[in-house]
Amino acid sequence: MSTTPTQDYDLIVVGFGAAGVSAAIEAADAGARVLALDRGFGGGATALSGGIVYAGGGTPYQQAAGVDDDPDNMFRYLQQEVRGAVSDETLRRFCEQSPETVAWLERQGASFQASLAPFKTSYPTDRHYLYYSGNEKAHPYRDKARPAARGHRQIAKGLGSGKVLYARLKASALRKGVTFLPHSMVDELIIEEDVVTGVRYRTADSATLGPNYERLSLVAGKLGNWAPAVGARLSAKLAAEWRRAARSVEARARGVLLAGGGFVHNEEWMDRWAGPYRNISPLGTVGDDGSSISLGLSAGGVTDHMDRMTAWRFINPPSAMTEGVSVDGRGQRIVNEDLYGATFADHMVRSHDARGYLILDAKQWRKARRQILSQTNTFQLAQQLYLYTIGHKKAHDLTALAHKLDIPAADLEATVTAYNAGILSGKGDPAGKARELSSTILSGPYFAVDLSVKNSPFYPAPGLTLGGLKVDEETGHVLNESGERIEGLFAAGRSAVGVCAIGYISGLSIADCLFSGRRAGRTVATDLDSTESSAKA
């Protein structure tokens, strides 16, 4: 394994996903020399995502769609979701800067539309690029803030929006002179007199690795999300090939940004921290193994909210599915079904032993089936095929259905009776579900879908980790145990505590990656400008 000479930069980015590329762009715009390192090809979980950016406060697309929103309204809503993960001052900045974030993304080549989805959905069809991506219209969130659609989806087909969004950001960074090295893994930070001054890393050229390496790496990444055991074996084989080709390099910089993602692929940490979320289907790349967080710990950094996870158990689309009633293993109501999928799952996981069933009657089942083609995206059709073939239980009455589910029949019937009584009396669903999504469960046969959070190949509950390194909310510096900044070291995205470190809704993680990444990039750029001004003086 050969060694190359030391290299000098202003900013070294470790992990070139949404957070890393945003920092690189901000720093490069200020004239900084930026080196970006990534274990894979860049993109991280963002490139695998649906490409949703949570943005509000009166964006041009909200205005064009007739959505009434302002930064204060967005703040009141997000206060309920963020639950103190960051200070109110930081959250206000996040909301106030949100319209400008959309404009900044467009300057990098991103594109959005004002086509508002007219129905309840977890992800819009290719006819819609703006939607209610969280709990904005659900009880109790709607009681403190006007519901506003804030899910801005990058224009692309199907799940390709995340890939396209990242590609636009990466292309912008490279045009601005950012040096990007894929197949590069940071082994340690260089620390001198308590200041982080660089990194030691290993890197391998694509030409040395061969033409099949990239293709197989992409396959391994996909398998890692949907067939973890198979993906892990292929990833291990590719890692051995990389180690044989890698050379050691040392690079120095004014600042090092840790932006390599979370730790959902770290078995030891998941055993330690995940608790009831241990059986989620891991969503992310092999880089989400906690390595960025570990680097921060090696410099004296501390973590928070490591036990916070998110998992998606979406009840919709189709929207008619939301009209059913969710019950746990005791036949008791879980929560109002119009909540965002991760919020619903968190209630089920933390308060109902991660076990749940959606109960529908014949008219709701048929209504949902009629909505499939008009409300689902291509990738969602496979799930609907499963649910409408082998993925449900069916019985002529609720007692028989309860027996098939092995839950108390009397409790199930009491839950459904209370739900029906609220609707028929005009008072509405006792759990507070929106009236337009509430309908009686009276006409058999009855159907049940298993909503339990578990790693199922046909009906997975994908998820990721939310906690990470504690950072200074003004600058992005990693903090030590005394709450002091570690000079020269920054963290962003899912490697850091951020806006969605406690709770998650669609688009909020990417928006936080942009917010925290740009913050770190601006800090390095400001330090660089100050140094140059002092030198001239």
Side-chain angles (χ1 to χ4, degrees), residues 174-414:
L174 297 182
R175 286 195 303 269
K176 296 173 187 294
V178 173
T179 300
F180 172 51
L181 295 182
H183 319 306
S184 302
M185 182 181 298
V186 174
D187 295 313
E188 64 177 314
L189 300 173
I190 300 173
I191 306 173
E192 299 170 327
E193 298 180 354
D194 297 326
V195 177
V196 175
T197 59
V199 301
R200 294 186 179 94
Y201 67 98
R202 288 171 293 160
T203 187
D205 297 328
S206 297
T208 305
L209 291 170
N212 291 327
Y213 187 88
E214 180 172 354
R215 178 179 60 82
L216 291 175
S217 295
L218 294 172
V219 171
K222 292 180 179 178
L223 289 173
N225 288 318
W226 305 114
V230 179
R233 287 195 294 270
L234 180 55
S235 293
K237 181 179 179 181
L238 293 170
E241 183 178 341
W242 173 84
R243 285 192 296 270
R244 287 192 293 269
R247 66 185 189 281
S248 295
V249 185
E250 186 175 285
R252 302 280 179 144
R254 297 172 182 271
V256 174
L257 172 67
L258 304 176
F263 60 92
V264 74
H265 283 294
N266 185 316
E267 292 287 335
E268 180 182 345
W269 284 17
M270 288 296 286
D271 286 341
R272 178 182 178 185
W273 296 109
Y277 277 98
R278 188 62 186 90
N279 291 323
I280 61 177
S281 301
L283 182 63
T285 70
V286 292
D288 288 294
D289 63 354
S291 55
S292 273
I293 299 173
S294 291
L295 287 170
L297 293 174
S298 73
V302 293
T303 59
D304 201 2
H305 304 305
M306 295 289 279
D307 63 335
R308 296 303 305 186
M309 315 278 158
T310 187
W312 295 276
R313 180 51 84 208
F314 290 120
I315 293 175
N316 53 73
S319 59
M321 285 285 190
T322 315
E323 298 179 26
V325 163
S326 58
V327 299
D328 62 15
R330 300 177 297 276
Q332 305 294 316
R333 184 78 174 273
I334 296 177
V335 72
N336 46 311
E337 295 75 19
D338 56 347
L339 288 173
Y340 174 69
T343 308
F344 175 86
D346 200 53
H347 280 278
M348 182 166 59
V349 167
R350 297 187 183 277
S351 302
H352 300 273
D353 300 320
R355 184 182 175 192
Y357 304 94
L358 181 66
I359 310 299
L360 305 104
D361 73 357
K363 70 176 185 306
Q364 294 165 337
W365 189 254
R366 289 193 300 268
K367 180 179 179 181
R369 186 169 53 198
R370 291 194 299 268
Q371 294 173 340
I372 290 175
L373 292 180
S374 62
Q375 293 190 6
T376 57
N377 218 309
T378 305
F379 71 92
Q380 295 164 326
L381 292 176
Q383 177 176 294
Q384 294 304 315
L385 177 63
Y386 164 74
L387 292 181
Y388 273 89
T389 53
I390 63 174
H392 68 270
K393 300 287 187 181
K394 178 181 178 182
H396 64 280
D397 59 36
L398 289 175
T399 298
L401 188 64
H403 289 157
K404 287 188 175 184
L405 301 176
D406 192 26
I407 62 177
D411 291 306
L412 173 62
E413 291 178 354

Side-chain angles (χ1 to χ4, degrees), residues 446-529:
Y446 298 90
F447 300 82
V449 173
D450 189 347
L451 300 174
S452 304
V453 172
K454 54 189 175 182
N455 196 336
S456 166
F458 298 108
Y459 194 37
L464 47 83
T465 61
L466 299 177
L469 295 162
K470 294 183 71 172
V471 296
D472 185 302
E473 295 181 10
E474 295 284 342
T475 65
H477 282 91
V478 174
L479 298 178
N480 63 20
E481 192 172 2
S482 300
E484 300 167 331
R485 299 175 182 175
I486 299 175
E487 294 302 324
L489 186 62
F490 305 83
R494 298 287 58 77
S495 294
V497 171
V499 170
C500 58
I502 292 179
Y504 177 91
I505 53 175
S506 284
L508 195 58
S509 181
I510 292 181
D512 182 51
C513 285
L514 302 172
F515 176 75
S516 59
R518 294 181 68 195
R519 175 179 62 195
R522 285 194 298 265
T523 300
V524 171
T526 300
D527 291 345
L528 175 64
D529 185 59

Side-chain angles (χ1 to χ4, degrees), residues 46-47 49-52 123 126 129 153-167:
T46 297
S49 75
I52 307 299
Y123 190 79
D126 290 342
Y129 287 89
R153 177 185 166 201
Q154 162 68 44
I155 298 174
K157 296 295 183 182
L159 270 180
S161 294
K163 183 178 180 180
V164 171
L165 177 64
Y166 174 72

